[in-house]
């Protein structure tokens, strides 16, 4: 019997992409407790289509990260509704949201933190550990490291990688479970232009597999590369 291995190409063939895997309707994010309520977002709408990249553009403190965490189900909005593949998160309990997130969304926070004691390959495979899928997804992990240009550095540890290379490993890690939505916070911050452009190319390349990319950035080159953008004030 030939063992079936998960590769990026195989995942692409199996994926039945929902036309709009993430949708935000009327999202308001407000923090009370001060002299006046702090309103981060007010009646915010966004439809994220499969195979496209949307950029939340704006200065630091404009609410970009808050919108990302709400879209990824990591934070509840004050009001409004988040839909994943047409299903409202308000109808799910915490365990279901967690399970659905693992299957649907890959999240890369700013800096894309890696575990120092692990190789690049081991870091990419980390999300597969809880389900016991490390061996099954090893070929896909290698394929993803090739995708981000680090196939020859898969045995290197984070301390042996540049900031841009570590960010690329974090993106590969976010894709390892067959992600349909990639959510990335300021992926080119603190990188030189050459490294930043490599990250932009990778994000655009993932959309060719039908993956939807939601990114927050103030990098003008990334904003221009996106299929659409929202200016956050």
């Amino acid at each position: 019997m030939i063992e079936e291995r998960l590769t990026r190409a195989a995942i692409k063939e199996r994926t039945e992409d929902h036309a709009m895997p993430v949708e935000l309707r009327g999202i308001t994010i407000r923090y009370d407790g001060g002299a006046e309520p702090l309103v981060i977002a007010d009646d915010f709408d966004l439809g994220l289509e499969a195979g496209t990249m949307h950029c939340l553009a704006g200065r630091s403190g404009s609410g970009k990260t808050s919108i990302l965490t709400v879209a990824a189900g990591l934070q509840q909005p004050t009001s409004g509704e988040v839909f994943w593949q047409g299903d409202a998160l308000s109808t799910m309990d915490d365990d279901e949201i967690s399970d659905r997130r693992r299957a649907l969304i890959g999240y890369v926070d700013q800096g894309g933190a890696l575990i120092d004691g692990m190789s690049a390959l081991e870091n990419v495979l980390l999300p597969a550990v809880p389900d016991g899928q490390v061996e099954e997804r090893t070929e896909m992990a290698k394929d993803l490291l090739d995708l981000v240009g680090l196939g020859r550095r898969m045995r290197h540890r984070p301390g042996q990688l540049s900031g841009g290379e570590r960010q690329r490993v974090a993106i590969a890690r976010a894709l390892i479970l067959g992600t349909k939505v990639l959510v990335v916070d300021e992926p080119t911050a603190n990188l030189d232009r050459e490294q930043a452009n490599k990250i932009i190319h990778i994000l655009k390349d993932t959309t060719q597999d039908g993956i939807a990319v939601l990114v927050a950035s103030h990098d003008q080159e990334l904003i221009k590369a996106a299929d659409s953008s929202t200016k956050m004030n």
Side-chain angles (χ1 to χ4, degrees):
M1 179 178 179
I2 299 175
E3 180 183 357
E4 183 179 13
R5 293 187 180 275
L6 291 173
T7 65
R8 179 174 172 240
I11 292 296
K12 178 181 176 181
E13 290 175 1
R14 294 179 187 183
T15 300
E16 296 180 1
D17 290 308
H18 193 279
M20 194 169 289
V22 172
E23 185 178 3
L24 310 181
R25 296 183 192 169
I27 296 296
T28 294
I29 304 170
R30 184 181 65 248
Y31 299 103
D32 298 318
E36 294 183 2
L38 177 61
V39 179
I40 303 297
D42 184 26
D43 200 26
F44 182 88
D45 295 326
L46 175 65
L48 186 63
E49 297 182 3
T52 65
M53 181 165 72
H54 185 88
C55 184
L56 301 176
R59 57 177 174 78
S60 296
S62 61
K64 303 189 302 294
T65 297
S66 294
I67 292 293
L68 292 188
T69 56
V70 165
L74 298 169
Q75 174 184 350
Q76 295 296 321
T78 306
S79 61
E81 188 64 85
V82 180
F83 295 87
W84 287 350
Q85 296 180 313
D87 298 327
L89 265 63
S90 62
T91 65
M92 307 177 196
D93 61 25
D94 290 345
D95 288 341
E96 185 175 359
I97 289 174
S98 180
D99 289 343
R100 289 284 295 268
R101 183 191 303 113
R102 279 178 57 79
L104 179 68
I105 294 174
Y107 189 89
V108 183
D109 59 12
Q110 189 169 346
L114 304 179
I115 296 179
D116 290 335
M118 293 183 170
S119 68
L121 179 61
E122 290 168 335
N123 267 283
V124 172
L125 283 166
L126 193 59
V129 171
D131 297 331
Q133 295 186 350
V134 171
E135 182 176 356
E136 181 183 8
R137 292 189 179 267
T138 295
E139 290 303 312
M140 184 181 180
K142 294 177 180 178
D143 191 26
L144 287 168
L145 284 168
D146 283 336
L147 164 71
V148 300
L150 295 174
R152 294 184 178 182
R153 297 177 69 79
M154 66 177 65
R155 303 299 176 187
H156 287 65
R157 298 183 187 277
Q160 299 170 300
L161 303 173
S162 69
E165 287 171 336
R166 290 194 295 272
Q167 189 74 0
R168 285 186 267 160
V169 172
I171 291 172
R173 181 180 60 191
L175 295 169
I176 190 62
L177 295 182
T179 301
K180 298 174 181 64
V181 180
L182 182 62
V183 179
V184 194
D185 193 6
E186 296 283 4
T188 62
N190 305 316
L191 300 181
D192 61 39
R193 190 69 263 159
E194 181 181 0
Q195 289 292 326
N197 287 342
K198 288 180 180 179
I199 297 294
I200 294 170
H201 176 78
I202 289 165
L203 295 177
K204 287 293 291 182
D205 187 60
T206 61
T207 66
Q208 301 305 307
D209 289 348
I211 294 170
V213 177
L214 178 60
V215 59
S217 182
H218 60 268
D219 182 342
Q220 291 301 313
E221 294 301 315
L222 197 160
I223 295 167
K224 287 191 294 185
D227 297 292
S228 57
S229 64
T230 300
K231 176 69 173 178
M232 305 290 292
N233 297 317

